[in-house]
Amino acid sequence: MNVRTLPPRPDAFDRNLLLRALAPADRQLLAPLVEDVTLTTGQVLFDPGQDVTHVTFPLDGTVTTLLVPLLDGRTIETATVGREGALGGVVSQGYLPAFNRAVVQLGGPALRMSAKQLQEVKQTSPAIRNVITRYADCLLAQVLQSVACNAAHPIDQRSARWLLTLQDRLGDDTLPVTQEMLADMLGVRRTYLCGVLRGLQAKGLIQIKRRQVTITDRAALEDAACECHARVREHFTEVLGAIYRDDGKLVAVKPDAAPAPSSALAVKAL
């Protein structure tokens, strides 16, 4: 992995919502084990079949995507991970071969640590284990909902869902994405997607400019999207105690305020 590593800055834990939710004592357990990394747009964090050796926690403005590559060269997005979460050895115990590809969609800062060390810390800290277990459940829910969405919903609804998901993680109406990037995520040709985006723009939902898409009417875009975006948000709220602003930005997770985990959430495989 081509990254620049440094010791974590003092405010780094506050720039990832999972880490921010931890008590000071639990942060101190992780602090000696994590390092600052700078991720670049388009960087592949792992590919199918590679051992997942590290867990990455994106910080403000950094967004990664889990993709399933197909034999015909297309890739299909299954989950988007930003400052609300982590990827790499989160659902599994780490150091297992990856099934999918993890790509940096919007480069920026992140924290990284050994997947093995995270598993060891989880055994000593119930709070860290609880946060990671709950997030793993939410990540799996996002993957499963994406599978259903890709199979059942038309491209205009899927496009709206992806734009809303990205805005949730960035908290900004202007999304620094290209039409080519969005087409790759959705597994369609760029020329086809251009027509879809122009249709959303004609309805006053978005504005398209070079290398960016601006959401001009979020409420209407939510109405134009399928139910998948809302269902994933609801699950994040129920399981992880996610808190959203009126403009959609995910601003905090409070796992202690969420209901006690069921036996399904406590499965060791998570």
Side-chain angles (χ1 to χ4, degrees):
M1 186 189 305
N2 182 24
V3 294
R4 178 174 61 86
T5 64
L6 293 169
R9 293 180 295 180
D11 67 339
F13 277 47
D14 289 328
R15 300 176 65 193
N16 177 277
L17 300 186
L18 288 185
L19 300 178
R20 184 196 296 176
L22 297 174
D26 292 303
R27 292 190 187 195
Q28 290 175 8
L29 288 176
L30 293 176
L33 307 177
V34 301
E35 59 187 358
D36 264 325
V37 297
T38 300
L39 306 179
T40 58
T41 298
Q43 179 180 339
V44 177
L45 300 181
F46 52 78
D47 260 323
Q50 293 181 342
D51 287 346
V52 179
T53 59
H54 289 84
V55 179
T56 301
F57 297 86
L59 304 185
D60 293 332
T62 305
V63 177
T64 59
T65 301
L66 294 178
L67 304 167
V68 175
L70 303 178
L71 291 178
D72 63 6
R74 292 181 298 160
T75 55
I76 306 297
E77 175 263 350
T78 59
T80 299
V81 180
R83 64 195 285 268
E84 85 294 341
L87 74 162
V90 175
V91 176
S92 72
Q93 298 294 331
Y95 280 89
L96 296 176
F99 179 77
N100 52 11
R101 175 180 297 157
V103 177
V104 180
Q105 290 301 327
L106 298 177
L111 292 179
R112 188 182 69 170
M113 68 179 296
S114 160
K116 179 180 179 181
Q117 288 180 322
L118 178 61
Q119 300 310 319
E120 293 171 351
V121 172
K122 283 167 58 179
Q123 301 308 311
T124 63
S125 169
I128 293 176
R129 183 167 64 250
N130 180 49
V131 167
I132 296 299
T133 297
R134 287 176 179 273
Y135 176 69
D137 182 85
C138 289
L139 180 60
L140 183 58
Q142 187 181 173
V143 170
L144 294 175
Q145 194 68 47
S146 292
V147 171
C149 186
N150 291 333
H153 296 141
I155 188 62
D156 56 337
Q157 292 184 338
R158 291 166 52 203
S159 298
R161 172 186 67 85
W162 197 89
L163 293 172
L164 290 166
T165 298
L166 185 58
Q167 188 188 31
D168 290 348
R169 283 146 181 78
L170 292 179
D172 196 325
D173 292 339
T174 299
L175 311 177
V177 296
T178 64
Q179 295 180 37
E180 182 178 6
M181 178 191 300
L182 183 54
D184 287 343
M185 294 302 98
L186 298 172
V188 298
R189 293 183 181 276
R190 181 178 178 276
T191 52
Y192 180 48
L193 180 68
C194 287
V196 172
L197 294 180
R198 283 196 295 267
L200 295 176
Q201 180 171 253
K203 295 177 182 178
L205 309 186
I206 64 173
Q207 185 177 22
I208 307 168
K209 292 185 178 181
R210 179 174 172 80
R211 303 189 68 82
Q212 69 180 42
V213 175
T214 299
I215 296 177
T216 53
D217 190 337
R218 180 180 171 95
L221 191 62
E222 288 177 342
D223 291 338
C226 52
E227 72 269 22
C228 298
H229 174 255
R231 289 197 63 185
V232 171
R233 278 172 57 105
E234 290 170 3
H235 196 71
F236 267 75
T237 300
E238 293 172 354
V239 175
L240 202 55
I243 299 173
Y244 295 87
R245 275 188 339 208
D246 290 342
D247 63 3
K249 183 178 182 180
L250 178 55
V251 295
V253 296
K254 295 183 178 296
D256 291 341
S262 66
S263 58
L265 279 177
V267 176
K268 185 177 180 181
L270 293 178

